[in-house]
Amino acid sequence: MKPPALVTRALVLALLLLAPPALAQYIYLDSNGDGVHTAADVLHGVGPTVIDVWLDTGHNRDGSVTACNGGSLSTPLNMFSYEVTIQATGGTVSWSAYTNRVTQMGFFGSPHAPDGTRFVSGDFGTPVGTSLPPGRYLLGTFTANVLSGTPRLDFTGLLTWQAQPFIETFTGFGSYCDGTQFANTIVLGTDWFDQDGLAFGPGGMANGPPVLGSFPDPQVSSGEHLDQPLSASDPDGQPLSFSKAGGPGYLFVTTLDPGSGTAAGELRLAPFASDVGTASGAVAVTDGTATDTRAFTVTVSPSSGHAPVLFSVPPLTVIAGRVGSLFLTAGDADGDRPHFALTSGPPYASIHELASRDGGASARFVVSPGLCDAGAAVARISVSDGSSSVQQDVRLTIVPPSQLPDALIHGSPLGYRFGWAIATADLDRDGTLDAVLGYEGDSRISVLKGMGSGLFGPPTDYPLPAGSYDAAVADLDRNGTIDIVTANTLGVSASVLLGRGDGTLLPAVTYATGVAPSKIAVADFNRDGIPDVITNNDGANTVSVLVGIGDGTFLTKRDSPTGLGNGSLAVADFNLDGRLDAAVRTHDAGTTESKITILPGLGDGSFGDPIRNAVSSFPLALAAADWNSDGLPDVVSTTAGGPVSYLAGRGDGTLSPPVVLGRFQAYDPVGSDLDGDGVTDLAFGDVDLGAIVVLIGRGDGTFASPSLQQSLGPKFTLGDVNRDGRLDFVAISGLGLGVRYNRFGPANSAVARAFVPGDNKSVTGNGNNDLVVLVEPQGGSYTNDLLNLSSVTLASDGTGSVGLIHSVPAKKTLSADRDNDGIPEIGVTFAKSDIGSLFDKLRGRTSVIADLAGALTDGRAFCTDVALTIIGKGQLTAVAAAFAPNPLNPASKLSFATSREGSAKVRIYDIQGRAVRTLLETPRLPAGTHELTFDGKTDRGASLASGVYFYRVETVEGRNDGQIVILK
């Protein structure tokens, strides 16, 4: 490793200043734990020597104050990183792992593997853009054992490893002051010379083994979790680590704090119903040389059973005539096998179970609306474990086809800001996406109101405790408004900013995480239906989970180790056990060999033993999706200047060998359906090309050739900015915020408008007159000469004895611009007898929205609404509605009928008149008999108390009110 070893994090490692034995500026080793270096500090010839590394950056050894090179005493010699290299002379030594003691610093570079005479700490540093003031610091601790001879230990300056001449290590620290050999690097032997190592001492004692603290035999119910604290002590004051020495597969052990002679760990249990009974387990603790082990008995008792869990299903927007899909996962805490079903919804919705196994399952929800299905609808998805079930409603929005948008980059300036984090959401609930931005080295986050035209308004700033490199948006307090959570990468925290619903945010509430959280995501890790937050902590080699309470607040973090070089983050149920997992990038100590590491979730916000998958490159970012349609999440990794790789998931936390998709200077990958065919595609930014690269997926794990979408920068997110049903590319850079519209999918949709001329406004339902409907093209999508007049149909569900009629030849074809909009219309005629059949069920004067569909001679088709006023044969009658059973326990069905299509709303109210549940709200309910299931819960999923409630059914035919009693 060369001195500028931290270049990858935009820092150059800086080194230190040394001095004679005194409590002043210099670097020294302390072996008796008193924090100073004296003659009593020696390397023991017998047994272990626990060694602390100390540094004072504020003074020289003689006590004089240090200063920047070429500066003055008013310019402090701060520190943002360090590395320590130690050489043994006169003998050989074995070394333990190094434990960093600077809590403000995290791990940023793998150490060179030690040998019998040399030892390297590795690179540690503060979050980017921060530093520590001049002062005296305990850098870290390690243990040395003499193997041969009478060695002494000293710090080295620049050191080239003989077996690897291109690898250099050194002792020094990073500073915003300059060194003489390297910028921002203060190197021992170049910029200062004061150091004290350890002389050989013939004394010492044999290694004292660690002692594992006692704890009760663990007992847990199936489907539940147990986190048993572990403790241990070491007479030599060495750092300790815990491990699993034996036991069932649902038992895991982790080290929380290696300590300095007193360590803390955790035993984690997550059994299924199949694990009921007793099992033997064992925990071990080691100081690197000696080990203490404790055996115990685990008792898993049966539980009363848990309902399955359907992980949150987002709303889905689909273009009429295209296909939309959602990848769904479900779980069962008892380990039962969940199964999916579609219990209600429009005829164009379906669900296809992909994989089901003990504890977890996956499915694909597919929506294939026709051209005439534009509008809103609701589908209900159910998951059952055989004894109980859960349901979730999915809001569907079917938008009419439209012409492809322009190919321009729509830019919104930001001023002198370099954006890094980016997300989109409708923060003010006006139906238009707004933007959320975080900045490199800037302690604030901004909200930019979307204008719906690809442009955004000026930023409104909200302060953060540190700069944020990632942000996520979600309804964290479940009140129907979008909130924001940020990873404060330049600090040791995440911040939650709750939304007010009008586009403004409450002040940030900050929660502790590991050092330098670089990525953040929102997901339900403990399966309680409440959003949790996970951060990937680059500087701590951990992930932190903040378990949500449900009101926008979170519990204290739960940390789980990942391994060295932790980077990136993707969340999915990789082993399909019904518990969400996390994928991160790691690498092995002393090597540059990288791994994609899967952390198997235990269902309580903690993770089990990491599963490591080898890759040949150094992944910078990861994305998870089911690209090969087998129901098992896959991974795509990107590497700056290296391969973009696809790794198919095997469903057990392991990944198939990587398949290289190409080489790019790639940033964050995203998996989503970009062309409206129901298959997941892949997109990522490329910094060299200044573009977003799109690979259209084929659904089998292969992709079409790359397509470049020019943008303002490689950092981007997806969002339907212009509300045309396509996910657009929203990118951020130093130039501003830029939108590149999505132009994938059909190149030229046929879009029409239909209306009835003035003398045909009212139509008699018994068919006294022919009906002429005028049709005109929209947006130049076609010309009237392409319209096949004989293909045009008029449809209206539930209004007559037939639901669809065909046009008839007219005596003459009308072609004129009757509405003076500059577009000529063409008249389409429907026979009066057919009109009578289409509307003979209506009574009184009724407004109807019918569907007019037609084909073009070039093979395309269109469907559009036409507003009609029907004069029926009689008076309107109200619809009857009733719940059965009533009282409700545990559920009831509301039945009602409508004789014609139209809008409908069904709500439940409490005795104070407050709406507690919306069972139905749609602008387009077909005629017929309808049934809605009410499970006695609120819209947020909370159970309603026993008592009297009221329901109201509102349709185009009238309103019905009634009572429903909940009895539990």
Side-chain angles (χ1 to χ4, degrees):
M1 178 178 60
K2 296 184 179 181
L6 300 185
V7 166
T8 56
R9 56 185 289 258
L11 299 177
V12 181
L13 188 62
L15 298 188
L16 20 160
L17 308 129
L18 309 169
L23 196 60
Q25 151 54 21
Y26 77 117
I27 192 166
Y28 60 90
L29 300 179
D30 170 33
S31 65
N32 63 2
D34 62 1
V36 296
H37 182 85
T38 66
D41 294 302
V42 295
L43 175 63
H44 302 304
V46 178
T49 304
V50 180
I51 302 167
D52 292 330
V53 182
W54 286 85
L55 168 67
D56 185 344
T57 61
H59 304 84
N60 297 302
R61 176 185 270 164
D62 60 6
S64 59
V65 176
T66 60
C68 279
N69 184 27
S72 66
L73 293 181
S74 63
T75 306
L77 190 63
N78 56 17
M79 176 174 65
F80 57 69
S81 63
Y82 76 85
E83 178 176 285
V84 171
T85 302
I86 293 174
Q87 175 92 45
T89 56
T92 58
V93 176
S94 67
W95 320 86
S96 73
Y98 180 83
T99 301
N100 172 56
R101 300 294 187 188
V102 184
T103 58
Q104 303 94 326
M105 290 190 178
F107 179 82
F108 286 102
S110 181
H112 189 285
D115 57 23
T117 60
R118 290 166 296 189
F119 172 82
V120 184
S121 66
D123 302 327
F124 295 87
T126 61
V128 179
T130 65
S131 64
L132 302 179
R136 179 170 167 265
Y137 297 97
L138 172 59
L139 297 183
T141 304
F142 65 96
T143 301
N145 283 272
V146 173
L147 298 178
S148 65
T150 58
R152 65 168 288 119
L153 303 183
D154 292 289
F155 297 94
T156 71
L158 195 62
L159 175 67
T160 299
W161 292 65
Q162 294 178 357
Q164 296 171 289
F166 296 105
I167 301 298
E168 296 175 334
T169 59
F170 59 101
T171 298
F173 65 92
S175 175
Y176 291 113
C177 301
D178 278 340
T180 56
Q181 187 169 5
F182 303 106
N184 303 117
T185 305
I186 313 301
V187 181
L188 178 67
T190 300
D191 299 300
W192 96 95
F193 300 88
D194 297 341
Q195 65 120 329
D196 272 318
L198 296 180
F200 176 79
M205 299 178 60
N207 180 57
V211 177
L212 187 62
S214 63
F215 56 90
D217 282 0
Q219 300 182 20
V220 63
S221 297
S222 64
E224 302 292 337
H225 304 85
L226 177 68
D227 301 313
Q228 173 67 54
L230 301 175
S231 64
S233 60
D234 185 81
D236 306 310
Q238 299 180 73
L240 304 176
S241 62
F242 298 88
S243 63
K244 177 180 176 179
Y250 58 81
L251 185 153
F252 305 90
V253 176
T254 190
T255 302
L256 299 179
D257 181 4
S260 297
T262 301
E266 193 168 70
L267 184 152
R268 299 171 176 173
L269 298 171
F272 285 145
S274 58
D275 299 314
V276 168
T278 60
S280 297
V283 171
V285 65
T286 182
D287 61 6
T289 302
T291 300
D292 186 23
T293 304
R294 165 141 197 270
F296 52 87
T297 299
V298 180
T299 301
V300 179
S301 59
S303 71
S304 57
H306 299 77
V309 173
L310 173 57
F311 290 104
S312 180
V313 184
L316 181 61
T317 298
V318 184
I319 300 173
R322 301 297 292 164
V323 180
S325 69
L326 295 171
F327 181 75
L328 309 179
T329 55
D332 185 83
D334 302 308
D336 295 328
R337 186 165 292 198
H339 290 284
F340 289 85
L342 185 64
T343 58
S344 64
Y348 53 78
S350 60
I351 196 161
H352 308 275
E353 191 164 279
L354 299 174
S356 182
R357 57 180 62 173
D358 293 347
S362 65
R364 190 166 294 278
F365 174 62
V366 180
V367 177
S368 305
L371 289 175
C372 295
D373 289 321
V378 175
R380 174 162 291 182
I381 297 172
S382 173
V383 171
S384 173
D385 61 3
S387 58
S388 59
S389 63
V390 294
Q391 295 84 34
Q392 194 172 144
D393 288 343
V394 187
R395 287 181 290 137
L396 305 176
T397 301
I398 312 303
V399 299
S402 61
Q403 289 289 88
L404 291 181
D406 63 61
L408 304 175
I409 298 176
H410 300 263
S412 300
L414 292 174
Y416 297 101
R417 307 178 182 211
F418 188 83
W420 196 263
I422 180 169
T424 57
D426 184 6
L427 298 176
D428 55 4
R429 296 185 290 187
D430 65 350
T432 300
L433 288 183
D434 309 306
V436 177
L437 304 181
Y439 306 98
E440 182 179 19
D442 197 342
S443 300
R444 59 181 165 176
I445 196 165
S446 299
V447 173
L448 291 79
K449 180 175 174 57
M451 299 179 181
S453 60
L455 300 178
F456 294 84
T460 300
D461 296 335
Y462 297 88
L464 296 174
S468 177
Y469 276 19
D470 199 21
V473 291
D475 184 4
L476 301 175
D477 54 2
R478 302 185 299 169
N479 67 349
T481 63
I482 297 297
D483 312 305
I484 299 171
V485 60
T486 66
N488 302 327
T489 311
L490 306 189
V492 193
S493 66
S495 292
V496 174
L497 299 92
L498 297 180
R500 292 189 173 100
D502 59 358
T504 65
L505 307 173
L506 293 172
V509 177
T510 299
Y511 297 85
T513 66
V515 177
S518 63
K519 292 291 181 182
I520 196 164
V522 176
D524 182 9
F525 287 98
N526 63 347
R527 302 181 296 188
D528 62 355
I530 298 172
D532 309 313
V533 170
I534 184 172
T535 63
N536 180 55
N537 310 314
D538 281 3
N541 300 318
T542 63
V543 293
S544 297
V545 172
L546 304 171
V547 173
I549 296 175
D551 58 358
T553 64
F554 295 84
L555 300 177
T556 303
K557 69 183 174 81
R558 297 208 66 189
D559 287 343
S560 296
T562 61
L564 300 177
N566 177 14
S568 193
L569 177 67
V571 174
D573 186 3
F574 291 102
N575 56 6
L576 209 63
D577 65 351
R579 303 178 289 200
L580 290 180
D581 315 313
V584 297
R585 178 212 69 225
T586 61
H587 64 263
D588 296 334
T591 75
T592 58
E593 295 180 2
S594 294
K595 302 288 191 293
I596 294 177
T597 295
I598 306 297
L599 306 174
L602 302 185
D604 65 346
S606 66
F607 298 89
D609 298 330
I611 302 169
R612 308 200 187 280
N613 298 274
V615 290
S616 58
S617 59
F618 185 79
L620 291 181
L622 305 174
D626 180 19
W627 279 285
N628 61 0
S629 307
D630 65 353
L632 307 174
D634 313 315
V635 172
V636 163
S637 70
T638 59
T639 305
V644 172
S645 300
Y646 165 73
L647 300 92
R650 296 188 174 112
D652 58 359
T654 66
L655 304 172
S656 298
V659 175
V660 175
L661 305 179
R663 292 183 176 273
F664 301 88
Q665 288 284 356
Y667 273 70
D668 299 345
V670 178
S672 193
D673 180 10
L674 296 173
D675 59 351
D677 63 353
V679 175
T680 304
D681 308 310
L682 174 65
F684 50 86
D686 187 292
V687 65
D688 282 351
L689 297 174
I692 296 166
V693 182
V694 174
L695 283 73
I696 297 298
R698 298 189 176 103
D700 59 358
T702 65
F703 301 85
S705 299
S707 173
L708 301 184
Q709 307 296 302
Q710 294 301 317
S711 70
L712 287 184
K715 296 288 292 184
F716 76 101
T717 189
L718 297 174
D720 185 3
V721 175
N722 58 351
R723 292 179 290 184
D724 65 351
R726 302 178 181 92
L727 292 174
D728 305 309
F729 307 97
V730 186
I732 186 72
S733 74
L735 299 174
L737 183 63
V739 171
R740 175 68 180 260
Y741 288 133
N742 181 353
R743 292 170 52 82
F744 291 96
N748 186 19
S749 300
V751 184
R753 169 177 172 255
F755 61 96
V756 176
D759 55 359
N760 255 313
K761 281 291 186 186
S762 298
V763 182
T764 304
N766 59 8
N768 289 337
N769 301 292
D770 289 345
L771 172 67
V772 177
V773 179
L774 300 181
V775 185
E776 67 179 23
Q778 293 290 285
S781 62
Y782 69 92
T783 55
N784 281 333
D785 62 295
L786 294 176
L787 178 59
N788 181 355
L789 290 172
S790 64
S791 72
V792 181
T793 61
L794 187 68
S796 180
D797 292 335
T799 58
S801 54
V802 299
L804 181 144
I805 60 176
H806 292 268
S807 62
V808 295
K811 295 179 181 178
K812 65 175 181 178
T813 301
L814 302 175
S815 181
D817 183 14
R818 290 200 176 191
D819 58 352
N820 298 314
D821 64 353
I823 304 173
E825 310 95 26
I826 191 167
V828 180
T829 302
F830 296 92
K832 60 183 179 181
S833 58
D834 291 337
I835 292 296
S837 299
L838 190 62
F839 299 116
D840 58 12
K841 289 185 179 181
L842 297 184
R843 304 177 186 277
R845 188 180 185 88
T846 307
S847 296
V848 174
I849 303 296
D851 290 327
L852 186 100
L856 304 181
T857 57
D858 62 5
R860 291 179 294 153
F862 67 83
C863 182
T864 186
D865 292 340
V866 58
L868 301 173
T869 300
I870 308 299
I871 309 299
K873 297 177 180 179
Q875 298 300 314
L876 212 63
T877 58
V879 65
F883 266 107
N886 192 353
L888 174 155
N889 186 12
S892 181
K893 285 186 177 180
L894 174 68
S895 301
F896 65 98
T898 55
S899 63
R900 58 193 175 91
E901 180 183 287
S903 63
K905 181 188 297 183
V906 179
R907 284 185 174 174
I908 309 293
Y909 298 86
D910 64 15
I911 199 167
Q912 283 82 32
R914 297 173 297 191
V916 294
R917 178 71 179 270
T918 299
L919 295 179
L920 176 69
E921 186 170 5
T922 177
R924 198 167 186 171
L925 182 69
T929 301
H930 310 284
E931 283 190 349
L932 301 174
T933 299
F934 178 40
D935 56 6
K937 295 182 179 180
T938 68
D939 285 324
R940 296 184 180 183
S943 295
L944 290 167
S946 296
V948 177
Y949 294 83
F950 302 93
Y951 64 86
R952 174 170 293 172
V953 179
E954 298 175 272
T955 71
V956 292
E957 296 177 323
R959 190 182 92 185
N960 266 238
D961 295 331
Q963 292 184 3
I964 174 72
V965 177
I966 296 178
L967 183 63
K968 297 183 179 179

